[in-house]
Amino acid sequence: DAFPLLVQLLVPVGLKGFVIAAVMGAVVSSLASMMNAASTIFTVDIYQKFMNPKATQRQMVWTGRTVVVVATVIGCRVAPLINNPALKGAFNFIQEFQGFISPGILTIFLFGLFVPKAPRLAGAVGLVLSPVIYGALFLITTSTDFEPGSLGNLLIDPFLNRMAITIVLISTVLGIMTIVKPLPEAIEMPVQEGMEIKGSKGAKLVGIGVVLATIALYIVFA
């Protein structure tokens, strides 16, 4: 409800269509990536491994296409349910749902990059701990009536705070695992020697322009 109102009141007449087109493009791009991910996960990790190990490329392609259609139908059926006032809106529901998964994924990704001696079991432990820790914090929040401005309200009521606490706790557990049983040798990330990577002066200038434009928009509309 807020976004159309902002476009109506703040965006100049000549730019309203451009803004709506950009948003629609972003929505379509996000949906395409989600559908592609869903079909790939099902086709490669479930269909090919467990249902039909000898599947041909043609069968896998058609399975992926079928999954896209099925997932779209399921999404269309589920979407109206998010309008339930108890879920506090679509944005809140999506963020809460991602909170069960994304903190663990982020933590093990960072450990994989910056802690080369982290044991391989740390990845599985991080994925399992994420829904457990966030779910516990979520249950505490929903079952406790915190006073506005209280410590409990400030710490775990906003979903971003619950995510942050989940990341800290998972990092602590993975750090202890690394200290107790590190890998004998640090893992070295593979390097693509045949790929030439050079900086671009034009890209840097465009990047600086985007940052300055973003700052200007914040200043104007703040």
Side-chain angles (χ1 to χ4, degrees), residues 59-136:
Q59 289 175 320
M60 292 180 64
V61 169
W62 276 104
T63 300
R65 291 174 177 175
T66 304
V67 170
V68 169
V69 176
V70 173
T72 302
V73 172
I74 294 174
C76 291
R77 297 290 297 177
V78 171
L81 302 178
I82 302 178
N83 195 37
N84 188 337
L87 299 178
K88 300 179 182 180
F91 177 80
N92 185 78
F93 174 79
I94 292 172
Q95 297 304 321
E96 289 285 9
F97 181 79
Q98 289 181 343
F100 287 89
I101 304 171
S102 56
I105 295 176
L106 173 62
T107 306
I108 63 176
F109 182 80
L110 293 177
F111 260 74
L113 284 177
F114 300 110
V115 187
K117 285 195 173 183
R120 296 185 181 277
L121 184 61
V125 171
L127 289 177
V128 172
L129 284 179
S130 185
V132 173
I133 296 174
Y134 188 89

Side-chain angles (χ1 to χ4, degrees), residues 161-208:
N161 289 0
R162 290 197 289 274
M163 288 184 180
I165 294 172
T166 304
I167 290 172
V168 171
L169 294 178
I170 294 176
S171 300
T172 302
V173 173
L174 300 190
I176 293 173
M177 291 178 61
T178 305
I179 294 173
V180 173
K181 195 174 181 180
L183 290 176
E185 296 182 2
I187 295 178
E188 294 185 5
M189 301 296 291
V191 179
Q192 297 291 341
E193 299 290 349
M195 183 181 298
E196 185 178 359
I197 301 177
K198 292 183 178 180
S200 170
K201 186 177 180 180
K204 292 179 180 178
L205 292 175
V206 172
I208 293 173

